[in-house]
Amino acid sequence: MHDTPSPEAIPATMAAMVLTGHGDVDQLVYRDDLPVPTPGPGEVLVRVTATAKNNTDRKAREGLYPTKEQGDVTSFAMGGEPTLTFPRIQGADIAGCVVAVGDGVDAGRIGERGLLDFNLYADARRDINLTPDYYGHGADGGYAEYVALPADQFHHVPNPELRDAELAAMGMCSYQTAYHMMTSAKVAAGERVLVSGASGGVGTALIQLCRIVGAIPYAVSQPEKAEALLALGAESVIDRGDLESFVERVLRATGGAPIDAVMDLVGGEMTDRFIDTMIQDMRARTSYPRLSIAGASGGNVSEIMWTRIYLYQVQLFGVSHGTREEAEQLIAWIREGRLKPVLHGAFPLSELHAAERYFVNRGSNFLGKIVIVPDAQWDEHGAPFALTSSLQEPSA
């Protein structure tokens, strides 16, 4: 249950972590004197209870989204102009409680617990999203005590069995990206899907989503994470290991059948190996080989022979974010209990520096998402899942 403040109980100022420029964690400054936003027409004011941390927070902070020159320190600008301006409050995957509404929004929404569809949509289209931007990048996000959000993108999720930190861990930045990777490649029931980076937020989402649509996920991850990934729904867990034997080990896991589609979050030298898993015996295929890529954790440049792409008819899909339709489908699955949170642990908002360092230096025990909880909400929403900078396990 949420204790909903009356309008007069909403403070004039709030605490937030403010990104002041590109750089290291010292560019993140904790302040407790920022004005609480006022919801505009069609908006709700949300008291933030938990916000999931995503790798894009770090990459945006460090300026690691070059699109032409490898040495660029920049941020993506799909609409033509950079939308990340400073100061900015980051944090895209916001869970919280509606405490006030703007003009045109039903006051009955006050008190609703919900989850944000994190996109800044350029128009009202439901089936396409050509200029992806998001809360925490092009507008202030959830690393704060309060945030004003579009009412139609803050989705009510009443499920009492889900704690707020767990709900934030199912945020759209990971789950919608994962689902859009699958819908772009038209992943279908019965198909074998190779999931790289399987222990992260997008990877764990992909494993669950494959099972929902009836596809068979094969996870690429470290052996020590195999038990948890198998429990989540992976058919098999394949260690990246020696690159020369990677394809052989994948085919051994599939019983010799080619992979139908690859969900690539790694890039670099692995992408060419991933393609190999799909084109070993084209006569055994019943559909075109497909590769969706939504990350480059293994390197921003891959060497691929284009003759292999067009002769083997490999279809490539670059994926960033997703659509309103996909977000609404995911919310429906969350409400139905068909998607489960994979929550690694929580940090207080004031310790975001420690959370950033933990995320970068995470060890073999890391699986799923870290969430950031405002200090004022910590005892209720963060403490049961506490992590510390000393790399302890969650307390619950």
Side-chain angles (χ1 to χ4, degrees), residues 4 31 33 61 76 105 108 124 139 168 207 226 238 242 260 289 291 317 350 366:
T4 304
R31 293 179 55 179
D33 61 348
R61 168 172 54 80
F76 64 85
V105 181
I207 291 170
I238 302 134
D242 174 39
D260 294 297
L291 184 143
F317 303 92
S350 62
F366 189 91

Side-chain angles (χ1 to χ4, degrees), residues 5-19:
S6 60
E8 63 271 18
I10 298 171
T13 59
M14 67 177 183
M17 189 68 76
V18 179
L19 179 63

Side-chain angles (χ1 to χ4, degrees), residues 181 192-198 206 218-221 238-251 254 257-282 285 288-299 302-304 308-309 312 314-316:
M181 293 177 80
R192 294 169 295 274
V193 179
L194 190 68
V195 177
S196 71
L206 280 164
Y218 292 85
V220 181
S221 190
I238 302 134
D239 183 16
R240 168 180 166 169
D242 174 39
L243 288 184
E244 294 304 316
S245 65
F246 178 76
V247 175
E248 177 186 341
R249 288 183 283 111
V250 171
L251 295 177
T254 65
I259 291 291
D260 294 297
V262 171
M263 304 292 108
D264 187 1
L265 300 165
V266 175
E269 62 184 351
M270 289 302 297
T271 295
D272 206 40
R273 291 290 189 271
F274 294 152
I275 292 171
D276 282 337
T277 68
M278 297 189 289
I279 63 173
Q280 289 303 299
D281 184 358
M282 294 297 290
R285 299 192 60 89
Y288 292 118
R290 288 146 285 152
L291 184 143
S292 286
I293 185 161
S297 61
S302 301
E303 185 174 298
I304 301 171
R308 298 177 75 230
I309 300 300
Y312 288 101
V314 178
Q315 298 179 339
L316 303 178

Side-chain angles (χ1 to χ4, degrees), residues 18-364:
V18 179
L19 179 63
T20 59
H22 287 306
D24 205 346
V25 293
D26 62 320
Q27 296 292 331
L28 292 164
V29 177
Y30 189 69
R31 293 179 55 179
D32 61 6
D33 61 348
L34 295 178
V36 172
T38 300
E43 292 185 333
V44 292
L45 180 67
V46 172
R47 184 182 66 192
V48 178
T49 52
T51 300
K53 179 175 163 33
N54 293 290
N55 197 39
T56 191
D57 297 330
R58 177 189 65 84
K59 295 185 74 173
R61 168 172 54 80
E62 295 181 357
L64 298 180
Y65 283 111
T67 55
K68 289 185 178 180
E69 300 298 329
Q70 289 303 300
D72 283 354
V73 176
T74 186
S75 183
F76 64 85
M78 297 300 106
E81 295 292 334
T83 59
L84 176 59
T85 57
F86 306 109
R88 173 66 76 224
I89 298 172
Q90 293 186 291
D93 288 332
I94 302 168
C97 181
V98 176
V99 294
V101 299
D103 290 345
V105 181
D106 184 356
R109 293 206 59 182
I110 294 176
E112 285 185 359
R113 192 273 295 268
L115 180 66
L116 174 68
D117 170 3
F118 77 125
N119 288 281
L120 290 169
Y121 294 108
D123 53 45
R125 289 191 62 173
R126 293 170 45 76
D127 62 334
I128 198 168
N129 182 8
L130 292 176
T131 56
D133 201 355
Y134 59 96
Y135 284 88
H137 183 274
D140 284 341
Y143 291 161
E145 292 182 311
Y146 294 89
V147 61
L149 302 168
D152 64 349
Q153 288 180 231
F154 191 71
H155 296 279
H156 186 204
V157 183
N159 307 39
E161 72 279 3
L162 281 176
R163 304 286 292 269
D164 286 36
E166 294 172 317
L167 180 60
M170 293 190 289
M172 296 295 111
C173 190
S174 291
Y175 278 80
Q176 193 191 41
T177 299
Y179 191 39
H180 194 49
M181 293 177 80
M182 293 170 57
T183 60
S184 297
K186 295 182 173 58
V187 170
E191 291 193 312
R192 294 169 295 274
V193 179
L194 190 68
V195 177
S196 71
S199 65
V202 180
T204 54
L206 280 164
I207 291 170
Q208 294 187 66
L209 290 165
C210 280
R211 289 303 184 183
I212 284 179
V213 304
I216 307 166
Y218 292 85
V220 181
S221 190
Q222 297 162 306
E224 51 265 41
K225 300 180 182 182
E227 183 178 354
L229 293 172
L230 291 169
L232 195 60
E235 185 76 7
S236 179
V237 178
I238 302 134
D239 183 16
R240 168 180 166 169
D242 174 39
L243 288 184
E244 294 304 316
S245 65
F246 178 76
V247 175
E248 177 186 341
R249 288 183 283 111
V250 171
L251 295 177
R252 189 182 310 137
T254 65
I259 291 291
D260 294 297
V262 171
M263 304 292 108
D264 187 1
L265 300 165
V266 175
E269 62 184 351
M270 289 302 297
T271 295
D272 206 40
R273 291 290 189 271
F274 294 152
I275 292 171
D276 282 337
T277 68
M278 297 189 289
I279 63 173
Q280 289 303 299
D281 184 358
M282 294 297 290
R283 296 168 299 181
R285 299 192 60 89
T286 58
S287 61
Y288 292 118
R290 288 146 285 152
L291 184 143
S292 286
I293 185 161
S297 61
N300 204 32
V301 177
S302 301
E303 185 174 298
I304 301 171
M305 293 176 60
W306 285 112
T307 47
R308 298 177 75 230
I309 300 300
Y310 68 76
L311 290 175
Y312 288 101
Q313 302 186 83
V314 178
Q315 298 179 339
L316 303 178
F317 303 92
V319 171
S320 181
H321 302 200
T323 69
R324 293 178 188 269
E325 288 178 344
E326 291 162 345
E328 290 165 7
Q329 176 62 81
L330 289 164
I331 291 292
W333 284 332
I334 292 172
R335 289 172 178 157
E336 294 165 6
R338 299 186 68 186
L339 288 171
K340 304 297 182 184
V342 186
L343 173 59
H344 182 71
F347 279 87
L349 178 60
S350 62
E351 296 182 15
L352 184 58
H353 289 193
E356 293 279 356
R357 287 190 288 267
Y358 182 97
F359 186 81
V360 170
N361 298 312
R362 59 194 185 273
S364 59

